[in-house]
């Protein structure tokens, strides 16, 4: 498994359950540059993204703002989701994360 259903992923992100750091790349990127996003509780901007169009990354108040922001070559994560390949979540390969971690 290399990706998740977008709505399932968004639900996990919105709830912030075991999803602090997600590493992924876009399969339509020949360099397969890795990007990171996650959730940190108790922060004014709990949702964050690294390695995107914003030089030092970006922070957002909501998961929806994060997935709708046009910060991946001018497109949003939502727009590019069909090309997302997840490397790891919480440092676990995706299959292990699905099997071992709590989900909502």
């Amino acid at each position: 498994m290399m990706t998740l259903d977008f709505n399932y992923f968004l639900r996990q992100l919105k709830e912030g359950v075991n999803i602090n750091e997600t590493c992924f790349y876009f399969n339509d990127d020949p360099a397969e540059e890795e990007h990171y996003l996650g959730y940190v509780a108790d922060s004014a901007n709990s949702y964050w993204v690294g390695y995107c169009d914003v030089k030092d990354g970006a922070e957002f108040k909501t998961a929806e703002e994060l997935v709708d922001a046009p910060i991946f070559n001018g497109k949003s994560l939502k727009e590019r989701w069909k090309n997302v390949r997840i490397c790891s979540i919480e440092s676990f390969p995706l299959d292990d994360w699905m099997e071992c971690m709590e989900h909502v």
Side-chain angles (χ1 to χ4, degrees), residues 85-99:
R85 298 301 176 261
I86 297 173
C87 303
S88 63
I89 302 177
E90 292 285 337
S91 299
F92 287 94
L94 183 56
D95 289 335
D96 291 348
W97 178 80
M98 288 294 296
E99 185 176 315

Side-chain angles (χ1 to χ4, degrees), residues 49-101:
V49 177
Y51 302 106
C52 61
D53 294 354
V54 180
K55 183 179 181 240
D56 293 321
E59 296 179 345
F60 303 92
K61 290 183 181 185
T62 69
E64 289 86 355
E65 288 176 5
L66 185 156
V67 301
D68 289 336
I71 58 173
F72 297 104
N73 291 331
K75 294 185 178 180
S76 71
L77 184 63
K78 186 176 186 179
E79 290 174 297
R80 295 192 66 190
W81 188 258
K82 69 180 181 183
N83 294 310
V84 166
R85 298 301 176 261
I86 297 173
C87 303
S88 63
I89 302 177
E90 292 285 337
S91 299
F92 287 94
L94 183 56
D95 289 335
D96 291 348
W97 178 80
M98 288 294 296
E99 185 176 315
C100 300
M101 302 299 271

Side-chain angles (χ1 to χ4, degrees), residues 1-46:
M1 175 185 312
M2 292 289 292
T3 195
L4 294 170
D5 173 76
F6 176 77
N7 292 319
Y8 182 84
F9 178 79
L10 182 58
R11 184 171 59 245
Q12 305 313 302
L13 189 61
K14 285 169 69 173
E15 294 296 324
V17 176
N18 296 317
I19 200 158
N20 177 43
E21 185 172 286
T22 299
C23 175
F24 65 97
Y25 66 93
F26 297 105
N27 70 352
D28 60 348
D29 172 11
E32 295 185 355
E33 180 182 355
E34 291 182 347
H35 306 274
Y36 294 85
L37 63 81
Y39 171 82
V40 178
D42 302 324
S43 176
N45 293 314
S46 295

